[in-house]
Amino acid sequence: MVTQLTDDIGPAALLPALQSMGGHIEYLDSFASTTLAKQSSLRSLYEELLLRLSPIAKTTDEDEIFAQWVADAIADSASERAKRLADASPLPQTRHQIVKTFRRNPDVVAEVLLRAKGVCEGCRTPAPFQRPDGSFYLEVHHVKRLADGGHDTVDNAIALCPNCHRERHFGRPPNSA
């Protein structure tokens, strides 16, 4: 059935349907034991489609590709960039992707923010601003990324100002001079 679907409709056209199906499964999961037989067959179809479509859903790291395009554009001449800008559509292209996200524990975030007391645990400077509710704006960062098997715990998280947080994600790693 999955092969026929992907052959008839095309794999890229199935991505939005797959995302929607994932949402339905998540909704059904919220009712615990309801419709287990239906849910298991739906989940089986979802997992089979996901396995089949995942190579086209995100074959490379889009952020890395975009960063390289920006670096290439910076290295190019102003006149070449101007030519491309003149020909470029003002409407961005769209793409569909399947993304795995983590539901973080709000108590971990709360404890880390309270521990920081409004001071960045990276650079030790006060938070850059306060939110409308008066709380200090810091971002909670996992030392070992959840995507890399890190735990969503207070011990694996620190409160950082936006600059330190971006540096942790995009800066040079320590000892990489």
Side-chain angles (χ1 to χ4, degrees), residues 21-39:
M21 185 186 295
H24 289 295
I25 290 170
E26 187 175 309
Y27 174 74
L28 290 171
D29 282 348
S30 70
F31 294 108
S33 63
T34 323
T35 63
L36 279 178
K38 257 178 145 178
Q39 188 177 350

Side-chain angles (χ1 to χ4, degrees), residues 86-166:
D87 294 338
S89 170
L91 300 175
Q93 294 177 348
T94 60
R95 64 184 173 87
H96 295 279
Q97 66 181 27
I98 299 167
V99 179
K100 176 180 173 181
T101 60
F102 297 93
R103 285 214 175 110
R104 296 171 53 194
N105 185 335
D107 291 326
V108 169
V109 174
E111 284 298 316
V112 171
L113 291 174
L114 290 168
R115 176 183 72 202
K117 298 178 183 166
V119 175
C120 173
E121 293 179 307
C123 64
R124 304 284 180 211
T125 60
F129 60 90
Q130 288 181 293
R131 293 183 171 104
D133 68 1
S135 63
F136 294 104
Y137 184 81
L138 293 171
E139 300 172 357
V140 176
H141 171 76
H142 289 88
V143 177
K144 180 175 182 183
R145 296 177 345 145
L146 299 177
D148 294 333
H151 294 162
D152 191 18
T153 62
V154 173
D155 291 339
N156 187 43
I158 55 175
L160 298 172
C161 67
N163 282 341
C164 285
H165 197 193
R166 294 294 92 197

Side-chain angles (χ1 to χ4, degrees), residues 40-117:
S40 64
S41 62
L42 185 62
R43 186 179 303 281
S44 296
L45 176 61
Y46 174 79
E47 289 172 359
E48 190 176 343
L49 279 170
L50 182 61
L51 186 64
R52 187 167 175 92
L53 298 178
S54 61
I56 68 154
K58 190 170 183 184
T59 55
T60 55
D61 187 338
E62 295 288 332
D63 291 337
E64 285 181 25
I65 291 170
F66 185 72
Q68 185 58 55
W69 288 346
V70 171
D72 292 346
I74 288 170
D76 211 347
S77 69
S79 62
E80 288 299 315
R81 281 192 306 279
K83 284 181 202 172
R84 288 193 301 271
L85 286 168
D87 294 338
S89 170
L91 300 175
Q93 294 177 348
T94 60
R95 64 184 173 87
H96 295 279
Q97 66 181 27
I98 299 167
V99 179
K100 176 180 173 181
T101 60
F102 297 93
R103 285 214 175 110
R104 296 171 53 194
N105 185 335
D107 291 326
V108 169
V109 174
E111 284 298 316
V112 171
L113 291 174
L114 290 168
R115 176 183 72 202
K117 298 178 183 166

